[in-house]
Amino acid sequence: MTRETGRAAARTMHLSLKAGERVYINGAVVRVDRKVALELMNDATFLLEGHVLQAEEATTPLRQLYFAAQTMLITPAQAGPARSLYARIEEGILAVTTEPAIRDGLAAAHALVEAGRAFEALKLIRGLYATEATLLGPLAPLPEVPPAALVPSARPGQRRRPRTRPALSSDKA
């Protein structure tokens, strides 16, 4: 649960965490061992564990966009590649949809990301999931692999094994 209070020059954030819960603050992962309330006294980028999307959950275009924005927020060292990935995914979504809610939402999220307000962009993108689900209908989700731009590459001289998909029961003879 979060509660935000603000003054003109500084913002104070109050975070209430349960035992074992994690929060990502300025790229650091903090896990608490008991119920605790934190007060962030200055501007900090943070994401609560409940809002963290795992790479294997990025199975739709908007979820992949969310994952890229999330990476900018919780892994500052990967912000450059994540920003490039975000731009490519956003461009791809805009190329295939005429849905006003998605287009307007992406424009607003883009402005937030550009303003350094990725946390607010994440909230906005999550709000578009239902519209996306309606548009995609019963289509199969995208492959469950993390965006290639954020997967560490093999060390020089090392070859990566190609990923193989397990056979579906209907593929068996």
Side-chain angles (χ1 to χ4, degrees), residues 86-146:
Y86 183 95
R88 288 194 311 269
I89 295 168
E90 178 186 36
E91 183 179 304
I93 295 169
L94 290 171
V96 298
T97 188
T98 58
E99 174 60 41
I102 298 285
R103 295 183 72 81
D104 293 346
L106 289 181
H110 179 86
L112 290 168
V113 166
E114 290 300 312
R117 296 167 50 195
F119 179 80
E120 294 169 56
L122 291 174
K123 184 176 178 182
L124 199 153
I125 294 167
R126 277 194 314 270
L128 298 172
Y129 286 174
T131 302
E132 179 187 47
T134 300
L135 291 173
L136 293 177
L139 297 177
L142 297 174
E144 293 185 7
V145 296

Side-chain angles (χ1 to χ4, degrees), residues 35-172:
K35 184 178 177 180
V36 66
L38 298 175
E39 183 177 9
L40 302 178
M41 304 293 288
N42 59 351
D43 285 334
T45 57
F46 73 93
L47 192 59
L48 297 172
E49 181 177 28
H51 292 148
V52 174
L53 184 71
Q54 299 301 317
E56 60 272 6
E57 297 170 322
T59 57
T60 68
L62 282 179
R63 288 175 189 268
Q64 290 176 351
L65 189 70
Y66 184 97
F67 187 82
Q70 167 188 286
T71 301
M72 286 183 247
L73 186 68
I74 65 174
T75 314
Q78 290 292 317
R83 188 175 298 276
S84 296
L85 179 62
Y86 183 95
R88 288 194 311 269
I89 295 168
E90 178 186 36
E91 183 179 304
I93 295 169
L94 290 171
V96 298
T97 188
T98 58
E99 174 60 41
I102 298 285
R103 295 183 72 81
D104 293 346
L106 289 181
H110 179 86
L112 290 168
V113 166
E114 290 300 312
R117 296 167 50 195
F119 179 80
E120 294 169 56
L122 291 174
K123 184 176 178 182
L124 199 153
I125 294 167
R126 277 194 314 270
L128 298 172
Y129 286 174
T131 302
E132 179 187 47
T134 300
L135 291 173
L136 293 177
L139 297 177
L142 297 174
E144 293 185 7
V145 296
L150 299 177
V151 175
S153 59
R155 283 179 257 153
Q158 240 184 351
R159 296 184 70 174
R160 293 180 83 173
R161 293 187 306 156
R163 290 183 186 248
T164 57
R165 290 180 61 178
L168 300 174
S169 59
S170 61
D171 291 343
K172 295 179 182 176

